[in-house]
Amino acid sequence: MSVNLTTFVHSNLLSTLSYDPYKDTLFLAGDLLAKSSEAGSLAILDFLSQRQQGECFPEIHPTRPEKASGSVARKGSDCKGVYAVRGNHDQMIVQWRAWRDWFEPLQLTFPSANLHRGRFSVPSFPSVTNSQSATHDVGPPVGTGSQFLALIESEWLRDRSTDPSGVGSDPQEWADIARKRAVGTWRAEWWKRIPQPGKGRAKKDWIMFGDHYWIARDMKPEHAKFLFSMPLVIHVPSEHFFLVHGGLLPSDPRRPADDKRQPLAHLPSSDDVMDEQDVDGYDYALLKIDPPQDILQDTGITGNLTRHEIEELRIAQERSILRDVPHNRDPWVVLNMRGVRKSGKVTRRGDKGTPWAKIWNGQMKRCNGFKKARSDIDSDPEDAEYGDDAERSITRFGLSQGGDKDQDDALPCYPSTVVYGHAASRDLDVRRWTVGLDTGCLYGRRLTSLVLTRKAGGKPTRTTPPDDEEGEDDEDESSDEEEDELDEYAADGPFGAVNSRFARVAGGSAVSRTRGPKTWTRPIKFGDKGSDLEARLVSIKCPKAGDFAGP
């Protein structure tokens, strides 16, 4: 019997966590859609859009049986929120849906009789491999975009049914041929308004009749509203962490980390303005983020700072990471990044460049509070994993070198944490200041969550430690070999067996994955030293990938 991903998540992981929507806030790290059947993706959107409207579902209240009776969802202000960041697959669906919203009501008229030709001669599908030709009926013109989409969708479904092992099995190849057939007819006017896959960054976008296309077509308006509202990054300033799908960079990798224009290399100020040359020198369009004037306008930075002032400056500096590092304002980067090349260019290939999490942790270890920088950072055992590449990374990306107490490499900042997904083939990757949670449930491995709870008697207060505590490095990192990440879909590659058996967790030995229990829990370090937060990982086994086909 097939297992629906949505049912699996609700019934297994949320039950294991004793999730209570009246007490617990739920965060999702992106790629919510196109990871199971279309029905599963739409069910996830049902859940999220209704939760956004304040509806709590009795069927997933394992800890509150008194609320589990009845089939009507409870609606009220006491239901805690569910928040999600956008993943790269979610973005593909957003693009298709936004395009459909424009295209479907579009109307075209065809005054030229030449565009009304009823028949035309073009190579037939078999001619992809031979020289046969056939005559095809172009049909009468249609007047709206929705009518044209309905027409070509029905034609593709027909050809897929009649020729399942031929061109009909490849939707993009079918679309390319259909586009060529339409040249010189009324259909060409519609086809030229339908986007095509690009090159480089865009080579996975706009795949006609792919999973993302159909989900975008079939979702409800409230689904689209929720999907469009999903941010690229969630910043939780009270706990000093970011949630993102792909990754973030602590500094502009085109400059040294201690360059005074870098956000972690100086105290934040309301006068900070991003250098327009940085924008002009960046190859892609950037999102606009205004400076945090509301925080900084009343904060003085002369003399000794109070704990409250330090906290406000710290939040402003975290916001400046999002604003002043151009890469963090590039949607493609935060959705797709896995590494950074020596040139400073981001790559989604895990086997190229320096892993962004290594860059983040290396610079967070250099944070020494808002006072005169000092060099008391311990060495990073991860550097040995990359051999000669580590020395180049230290120079380019400002990673902590350690060892030399006389070297003034500290930065005027406080560390913050990034929680992310996306890197399934790297498996669980938990370091002191980054938490990578994607453990390949889609491929039949595991589904893992990070649970943050307050210690008994704890209150939601900010936890900035005094400056003199920031120089202490309390990290005890694992030195186990870290395998290069494969392509997102290549779960069975040469390192697949290693990554499926072990997960790298900072502060301890590798966790066995092959013969481990169906469910395991492990505490980890998270956030500031002395914080009232307790963090633990909870992981459950997933069904085999084939079982996600849905009903």
Side-chain angles (χ1 to χ4, degrees), residues 182-231:
V183 173
T185 75
W186 62 266
R187 291 189 178 217
E189 292 300 307
W190 289 112
W191 273 110
K192 72 180 184 181
R193 290 166 171 81
I194 297 177
Q196 301 183 64
K199 297 180 180 179
R201 283 183 167 197
K203 68 179 181 180
K204 293 184 178 182
D205 294 347
W206 305 114
I207 303 299
M208 195 69 179
F209 301 144
D211 293 343
H212 308 95
Y213 175 92
W214 295 110
I215 295 171
R217 187 196 73 161
D218 295 335
M219 66 172 61
K220 302 173 184 177
E222 57 266 32
H223 294 166
K225 180 180 178 181
F226 176 84
L227 199 58
F228 291 160
S229 72
M230 288 168 58

Side-chain angles (χ1 to χ4, degrees), residues 51 65 72 113 129 154 200 405 427 495 513 544 547:
R51 284 300 306 274
V72 179
T129 56
S154 65
K405 298 296 184 181
D427 214 313
F495 297 117
R513 311 295 267 163
K544 293 181 180 180
D547 292 335

Side-chain angles (χ1 to χ4, degrees), residues 150-163:
L151 175 64
I152 61 175
E153 287 167 3
S154 65
E155 290 176 344
W156 177 71
L157 291 172
R158 177 201 64 202
D159 291 336
R160 187 183 66 169
S161 176
T162 57
D163 187 20

Side-chain angles (χ1 to χ4, degrees), residues 90 100 112 132 173 180 199 221 356 388 411 422 431 474 501 507:
D90 307 323
R100 289 188 71 101
S112 173
Q132 295 178 0
E173 186 177 359
K180 293 176 182 178
K199 297 180 180 179
W356 74 263
D388 294 338
L411 296 172
H422 189 53
R431 311 182 189 218
D474 58 353
R501 289 184 57 204

Side-chain angles (χ1 to χ4, degrees), residues 67-87:
K67 299 183 182 294
S69 60
S71 59
V72 179
R74 174 178 172 181
K75 190 171 184 177
S77 60
D78 59 345
C79 183
K80 295 293 185 180
V82 174
Y83 304 95
V85 292
R86 194 177 299 184

Side-chain angles (χ1 to χ4, degrees), residues 81-289:
V82 174
Y83 304 95
V85 292
R86 194 177 299 184
N88 55 307
H89 285 275
D90 307 323
Q91 177 63 23
M92 295 180 200
I93 296 170
V94 166
Q95 292 173 175
W96 272 120
R97 180 64 184 214
W99 173 80
R100 289 188 71 101
D101 288 346
W102 166 78
F103 185 83
E104 287 182 351
L106 195 63
Q107 298 183 16
L108 295 180
T109 57
F110 303 98
S112 173
N114 292 333
L115 296 180
H116 291 199
R117 291 188 303 170
R119 306 181 72 82
F120 57 104
S121 180
V122 297
S124 64
F125 279 161
S127 69
V128 173
T129 56
N130 59 49
S131 59
Q132 295 178 0
S133 296
T135 300
H136 298 273
D137 188 357
V138 69
V142 297
T144 67
S146 59
Q147 292 173 338
F148 185 72
L149 289 178
L151 175 64
I152 61 175
E153 287 167 3
S154 65
E155 290 176 344
W156 177 71
L157 291 172
R158 177 201 64 202
D159 291 336
R160 187 183 66 169
S161 176
T162 57
D163 187 20
S165 60
V167 174
S169 64
D170 186 332
Q172 189 55 51
E173 186 177 359
W174 185 95
D176 291 341
I177 293 176
R179 193 184 296 270
K180 293 176 182 178
R181 284 178 174 175
V183 173
T185 75
W186 62 266
R187 291 189 178 217
E189 292 300 307
W190 289 112
W191 273 110
K192 72 180 184 181
R193 290 166 171 81
I194 297 177
Q196 301 183 64
K199 297 180 180 179
R201 283 183 167 197
K203 68 179 181 180
K204 293 184 178 182
D205 294 347
W206 305 114
I207 303 299
M208 195 69 179
F209 301 144
D211 293 343
H212 308 95
Y213 175 92
W214 295 110
I215 295 171
R217 187 196 73 161
D218 295 335
M219 66 172 61
K220 302 173 184 177
E222 57 266 32
H223 294 166
K225 180 180 178 181
F226 176 84
L227 199 58
F228 291 160
S229 72
M230 288 168 58
L232 298 175
V233 182
I234 291 177
H235 177 210
V236 184
S238 62
E239 310 304 336
H240 303 295
F241 80 87
F242 302 92
L243 178 68
V244 67
H245 179 65
L248 291 175
L249 291 174
S251 60
D252 187 338
R254 300 171 299 174
R255 292 195 177 109
D258 57 1
D259 186 296
K260 292 304 180 183
R261 290 167 290 185
Q262 302 281 25
L264 299 184
H266 66 277
L267 289 174
S269 167
S270 58
D271 296 328
D272 286 347
V273 178
M274 187 174 183
D275 190 343
E276 288 302 319
Q277 292 182 352
D278 293 342
V279 178
D280 293 341
Y282 198 79
D283 295 335
Y284 302 95
L286 302 177
L287 299 176
K288 182 178 180 180
I289 302 178

